[in-house]
Amino acid sequence: MTPTGTIMATNWRTKLITEMDREGKVVKQFTSPELQQPTCICVNSQSDTIIADNTAEHLFIFDNTGR
């Protein structure tokens, strides 16, 4: 759960990151051309989204706007 009470999920096939409210309604979505196989996701206390990518062998950090 994020600091704002939403939930983040990643789809490794579509490379789409989705933020949902507690009822499951999509708040926002984003992706990046650098993502290859995003499998793990977390959000820190500053609302940065951190994504582990197995194929790219990197951690990606996005701000709350998806950059």
Side-chain angles (χ1 to χ4, degrees), residues 3-61:
T4 59
T6 58
I7 299 169
M8 300 290 289
T10 180
N11 183 316
W12 66 270
R13 285 187 186 211
T14 64
K15 303 167 184 76
L16 191 63
I17 310 305
T18 304
E19 182 176 0
M20 297 167 278
D21 65 16
R22 292 177 188 224
E23 287 76 41
K25 182 178 177 182
V26 173
V27 175
K28 69 179 175 182
Q29 293 181 312
F30 68 91
T31 190
S32 171
E34 295 179 355
L35 294 173
Q36 296 177 33
Q37 190 181 23
T39 55
C40 297
I41 188 169
C42 69
V43 179
N44 66 16
S45 61
Q46 296 148 347
S47 295
D48 295 325
T49 303
I50 303 160
I51 300 170
D53 189 303
N54 283 351
T55 302
E57 297 180 346
H58 282 79
L59 290 176
F60 294 94
I61 301 173

